Amino acid sequence: MLPTVPIKCPHKKMNLIWFSQRPDPCPDLKQPICGNKYVTYDSPCVLCLESLKSHGRIKFYHDGRC
């Protein structure tokens, strides 16, 4: 089992828990990345936002699809 890694987001920390949609701050970057809950995100940017929304409970697991 790979260790999970906390996300260091380049974005300013903000409370996005209220936002139910899945925004993509980097629409031109398509680089699948796997989170610790075995969910594949379209890019590190999307994983970063999901990590912020979950208050750090969602973390990086490995590059590529889950």
Side-chain angles (χ1 to χ4, degrees), residues 14-17 36-37 41 47-59:
M14 58 186 116
N15 184 3
L16 296 173
I17 199 88
N36 63 319
K37 303 214 183 253
Y41 298 94
L47 177 63
C48 176
L49 278 178
E50 293 299 318
S51 179
L52 287 171
K53 285 169 48 178
S54 72
H55 300 287
R57 289 187 299 275
I58 294 175
K59 298 178 173 67

Side-chain angles (χ1 to χ4, degrees), residues 22 32 38 42 51:
R22 199 165 159 185
Y38 300 102
D42 293 335
S51 179

Side-chain angles (χ1 to χ4, degrees), residues 32-41 47 59-66:
I33 191 166
C34 184
N36 63 319
K37 303 214 183 253
Y38 300 102
V39 173
T40 301
Y41 298 94
L47 177 63
K59 298 178 173 67
F60 170 80
Y61 189 55
H62 65 77
D63 288 322
R65 298 195 166 279
C66 296

